[in-house]
């Protein structure tokens, strides 16, 4: 009897960081400098992930509001058009979780849904218990990271994953930045 070699399937996860209208569209309140070039690359990476059936974890920034419904940051205010994700970064089979300080997650979530959207109230996603738990416990061979801004949330996400012993690939062409010099340093 001959045993066939079974090729182990490489488990990849795409992490899309802050691909929201305020960061990536020209009229956005905190638009990155290279938004035109970056949008095309983000669209291609998202299409690639859909075709290959790669699970997508999306992180979306929602800064805390004061009592008047305003945010001290002035961008991505909850309920505004700028806080919404760019339409082609969304998959129809998705689930979303608010930034509420909880760390509960449904079992087999990435088998049931193609995309998990997690909201965060700060730049570093690992400050949110639910995001920290998911990204720390998920078993994957590679984490592919895209989004904005390279010198801010993308850098914090990648450093957090590396600190947890994960293999990370940053798609530099699909990363927006406010400061070209700082982004270059962060990518290095």
């Amino acid at each position: 009897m001959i045993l066939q070699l079974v090729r182990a399937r490489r488990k990849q996860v795409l992490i899309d960081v802050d691909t929201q209208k305020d960061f990536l569209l020209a009229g956005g309140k905190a638009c990155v400098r290279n938004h035109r070039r970056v949008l095309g690359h983000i669209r291609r990476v998202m299409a690639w992930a859909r075709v290959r059936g790669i699970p997508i974890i999306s992180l979306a920034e929602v800064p805390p509001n004061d009592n008047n419904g305003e945010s001290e940051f002035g961008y991505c205010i909850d309920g505004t058009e700028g806080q919404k994700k760019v339409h082609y970064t969304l998959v129809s089979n998705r689930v979303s979780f608010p930034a509420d300080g909880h760390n509960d997650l449904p079992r087999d979530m990435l088998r049931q849904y193609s995309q998990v959207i997690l909201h965060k109230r700060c730049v570093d996603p690992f400050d949110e218990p639910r995001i920290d738990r998911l990204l720390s416990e998920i078993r994957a061979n590679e984490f592919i990271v895209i989004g904005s801004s390279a010198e801010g949330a993308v850098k914090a996400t990648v450093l957090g994953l590396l600190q947890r012993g994960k293999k990370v690939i940053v798609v530099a062409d699909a990363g927006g930045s406010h400061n070209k010099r700082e982004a270059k340093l962060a990518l290095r």
Side-chain angles (χ1 to χ4, degrees):
M1 177 185 245
I2 298 174
L3 294 176
Q4 292 182 1
L5 293 175
V6 179
R7 186 175 163 191
R9 187 168 176 217
R10 195 170 60 176
K11 172 96 171 158
Q12 297 173 313
V13 174
L14 176 65
I15 299 180
D16 125 47
V17 181
D18 297 347
T19 55
Q20 295 162 266
K21 293 181 178 182
D22 268 352
F23 292 124
L24 294 172
L25 297 183
K29 295 181 179 175
C31 187
V32 294
R33 294 181 71 227
N34 55 346
H35 64 68
R36 284 191 182 99
R37 183 177 54 82
V38 168
L39 279 171
H41 295 298
I42 288 173
R43 177 178 269 186
R44 283 191 281 284
V45 172
M46 293 299 289
W48 171 81
R50 281 188 198 105
V51 167
R52 294 211 168 195
I54 294 172
I56 302 167
I57 298 174
S58 297
L59 307 177
E61 190 168 336
V62 183
N65 295 339
D66 62 12
N67 295 336
N68 300 329
E70 295 290 320
S71 171
E72 66 180 80
F73 299 102
Y75 59 86
C76 293
I77 298 170
D78 197 20
T80 63
E81 191 66 24
Q83 187 267 330
K84 295 179 181 175
K85 293 182 61 53
V86 176
H87 69 88
Y88 49 79
T89 63
L90 293 171
V91 177
S92 60
N93 182 20
R94 65 181 180 263
V95 64
S96 181
F97 295 96
D100 56 8
H102 293 99
N103 68 353
D104 58 327
L105 293 167
R107 193 171 199 176
D108 294 332
M109 180 176 48
L110 289 174
R111 287 192 179 121
Q112 294 175 2
Y113 301 100
S114 301
Q115 183 178 29
V116 176
I117 302 172
L118 300 160
H119 293 92
K120 58 190 180 79
R121 296 170 282 201
C122 49
V123 173
D124 187 354
F126 291 96
D127 288 344
E128 290 290 339
R130 189 176 278 138
I131 298 172
D132 186 13
R133 177 177 173 214
L134 178 63
L135 294 180
S136 296
E137 292 179 2
I138 192 170
R139 290 188 178 172
N141 298 34
E142 289 179 333
F143 289 87
I144 302 163
V145 181
I146 63 170
S148 67
S149 79
E151 67 274 16
V154 170
K155 176 181 157 185
T157 304
V158 169
L159 289 175
L161 288 167
L162 290 173
Q163 192 174 35
R164 286 156 179 79
K166 310 291 185 179
K167 182 179 178 191
V168 182
I169 296 172
V170 179
V171 182
D173 291 343
S177 66
H178 294 286
N179 184 320
K180 189 176 181 179
R181 196 172 130 264
E182 285 182 29
K184 199 173 185 181
L185 182 63
L187 289 172
R188 203 177 308 149

